[in-house]
Amino acid sequence: MRARRKQPDVPVPDNPWSEIVPGLWMGGHEYTGPSGEPQFAVVHDEFDLVLTLLRLPGHGPAPGVEHHVWPIPDGPLDGTQLTGVMRLARTAAEALDEGRRVLVRCYHGYNRSGLVVAHALVLAGRTSDEAIRLIRSRRSPWALHNELFVEYLGTGLATARLLEELAE
């Protein structure tokens, strides 16, 4: 698997988060506000569960909201990091089955959050290609522009994790 190319021209999203399927939202910590200027996305109590892949102080969620943090890079992941991604995706899928509102977030809400949301959709019965198309149509065409993450999804995260552990 290869590392993604840097893409400095990736636009800031137009909204803080987007609903991918009922109850499952994907977003970030920054978005373009109505004025056209970057704004910080701060989570309060809009969601029952927040899964954070890049934590920035002061961005919420509110006290009492279930919050799981698993910081990972927007690049190659080792076996432990992939295991955490799979755990978060399972947590999201279970929360959706319980009728909870779930936000998965990273910096812009494109790649790291997309990896978790796509895997949650795969756990719910979609193919990886269907999950990627759905995410890109609902969040942004820039979602999952990290080619390595798309390869992880195509291979299957469990298989990608085993391959990464063998390489270590």
Side-chain angles (χ1 to χ4, degrees), residues 79-115:
T80 300
Q81 292 164 329
L82 284 164
T83 298
V85 167
M86 292 186 300
R87 180 183 50 80
L88 289 180
R90 229 179 359 267
T91 300
E94 290 168 0
L96 279 179
D97 288 345
E98 296 166 1
R100 300 173 72 199
R101 289 174 48 94
V102 178
L103 171 64
V104 182
R105 66 181 179 166
C106 56
Y107 191 74
H108 281 135
Y110 289 154
N111 287 318
R112 291 168 276 199
S113 59
L115 183 62

Side-chain angles (χ1 to χ4, degrees), residues 120-131:
L121 295 171
V122 167
L123 293 174
R126 287 185 167 80
T127 67
S128 61
D129 287 340
E130 290 169 339

Side-chain angles (χ1 to χ4, degrees), residues 7-137:
Q7 296 180 320
D9 56 344
V10 174
V12 175
D14 292 333
N15 45 51
W17 39 74
S18 306
E19 193 169 28
I20 307 304
V21 296
L24 180 59
W25 297 73
M26 185 171 140
H29 287 78
E30 184 181 81
Y31 68 103
T32 302
S35 68
E37 295 296 316
Q39 305 252 332
F40 289 118
V42 179
V43 179
H44 299 285
D45 60 359
E46 302 91 339
F47 303 97
D48 304 307
L49 170 65
V50 177
L51 305 175
T52 298
L53 297 148
L54 170 82
R55 186 174 196 170
L56 296 177
H59 286 75
V65 174
E66 186 178 350
H67 187 206
H68 298 252
V69 180
W70 186 251
I72 59 169
D74 189 1
L77 303 178
D78 65 25
T80 300
Q81 292 164 329
L82 284 164
T83 298
V85 167
M86 292 186 300
R87 180 183 50 80
L88 289 180
R90 229 179 359 267
T91 300
E94 290 168 0
L96 279 179
D97 288 345
E98 296 166 1
R100 300 173 72 199
R101 289 174 48 94
V102 178
L103 171 64
V104 182
R105 66 181 179 166
C106 56
Y107 191 74
H108 281 135
Y110 289 154
N111 287 318
R112 291 168 276 199
S113 59
L115 183 62
V116 171
V117 168
H119 190 62
L121 295 171
V122 167
L123 293 174
R126 287 185 167 80
T127 67
S128 61
D129 287 340
E130 290 169 339
I132 292 165
R133 277 193 303 274
L134 182 60
I135 287 167
R136 287 177 175 159
S137 72

